[in-house]
Amino acid sequence: MKLNKLSDLSLEQLESKKKTVKSLAIGLGIVIIIACSVLFYVAMTSENFALIAVAVGSLMSLMPIFISISQINAEIKSRKSKYL
């Protein structure tokens, strides 16, 4: 699979990629928040507080998606400033 650098994509492709990554982040975020809520509940009821660390660690798996969104936003902003 060929990797596309953000600088090689057109403005329309960047906007499309932004929408795709953003919807992926929302969907995955909802699933992870539900799973973390269940883990917190199980940790409190069973007094197994090590599960709280697992829940917090799973939230950190969203960081690459947020970094990707910020890179796309920065590229779009730099392109729009060139045209103005």
Side-chain angles (χ1 to χ4, degrees), residues 24-75:
L24 173 72
I26 290 170
L28 189 60
I30 289 170
V31 170
I32 288 180
I33 287 174
I34 291 170
C36 287
S37 300
V38 170
L39 278 173
F40 278 121
Y41 174 75
V42 170
M44 293 301 161
T45 57
S46 68
E47 296 180 3
N48 186 2
F49 299 112
L51 292 175
I52 294 174
V54 173
V56 172
S58 66
L59 287 174
M60 297 305 289
S61 66
L62 291 174
M63 286 305 265
I65 293 175
F66 291 132
I67 291 170
S68 175
I69 291 172
S70 68
Q71 288 174 343
I72 293 171
N73 284 336
E75 184 67 27

Side-chain angles (χ1 to χ4, degrees), residues 9-29:
L9 299 175
S10 69
L11 192 57
E12 293 82 20
Q13 289 173 329
L14 283 172
E15 292 287 344
S16 173
K17 186 169 182 146
K18 177 183 172 184
K19 287 180 185 178
T20 303
V21 173
K22 193 173 183 181
S23 63
L24 173 72
I26 290 170
L28 189 60

Side-chain angles (χ1 to χ4, degrees), residues 11 75-84:
L11 192 57
E75 184 67 27
I76 290 172
K77 186 177 179 180
S78 71
R79 298 263 182 102
K80 286 185 178 180
S81 67
K82 284 182 185 178
Y83 295 127
L84 292 178

